[in-house]
Amino acid sequence: MLGAPKQAKFGASMDARQLKVEAARAALAHVSDGMRLGIGTGSTADEFVRLLAEKVANGLTIIGVPTSERTAILCGELGVQLSTLEETPELDLTIDGADEIDPALTLIKGGGGALLREKIVAAASARMIVIADRSKMVETLGRFPLPIEVNPFGLRATEIAVAAAAGSLGLSGPVTLRMTGSQPFITDGGHFILDASFGRIPDTRALSNALHAIPGVVEHGLFIGLASAAIIAGDGVQTVHAA
Ligand code: 5RP
């Protein structure tokens, strides 16, 4: 179930980057002084970091925990001081982007390759707010290939097991190793990413359980029950609440 959406209209149509900025700006209103804040990864989260940095420069004090090395570097460049999840294991709020969002606020994440740290940080947070432009909203997840973080050891065996797990649920499609040029993409945790194009995923919980049962799977990009709200920028900014 969704809570009543709150909406603020924009006067004119906006380009994709402006929509990300508006979603990020609306999320910033949820950040208060002294907050322990998880800071997401991706182009939308980057816009949030830029706006957050302006607030910090003007005196806002937060304890920030980044979800990736990329975000940590941007925060460092912009003067947002950071803690670690070791030092600050319980967070008040995480603000992060997503690749897809369904009406129940189940997400696909990991397009930027940071899904493992993103999920650990979100799970350590009392609340997670997702920021996105409206192109990320879908009725059923799965148009975006599902990122699956895997241990490099036994890669081929894990690929076969992932395909079999999906097949047992009636899902199929290409599972490809994410590459950077001619080399496998390596996550901050030293793992590989498989991008699984299974198409529509009607039962996200069943797929999550099936993937978690595979020893070589470190984590997957289905975020179930983690997001408490989504701030969506399109023809205005809409806040969708989880049930
Ligand atoms: C990174 C993520 C990102 O949040 C997701 O890919 C969305 O990124 P963007 O805001 O650039 O569209 O999950 O692992």
Side-chain angles (χ1 to χ4, degrees), residues 20 41-45 96-99 109-115 118 136:
K20 293 175 189 186
T41 298
S43 58
T44 317
D96 201 350
D99 299 299
K109 285 185 53 56
L115 69 97
E118 288 173 333
K136 306 293 184 67

Side-chain angles (χ1 to χ4, degrees), residues 28 31 35-40 45-66 70-84:
L28 200 56
V31 178
M35 211 173 230
R36 299 164 298 176
L37 186 67
I39 306 175
D46 285 352
E47 299 301 345
F48 174 75
V49 172
R50 290 187 186 101
L51 294 169
L52 179 68
E54 288 173 16
K55 287 271 188 189
V56 167
N58 287 322
L60 177 77
T61 305
I62 53 113
I63 300 169
V65 172
R70 163 188 165 160
T71 294
I73 290 167
L74 182 63
C75 286
E77 287 171 355
L78 297 177
V80 177
Q81 289 209 341
L82 295 175
S83 178
T84 64

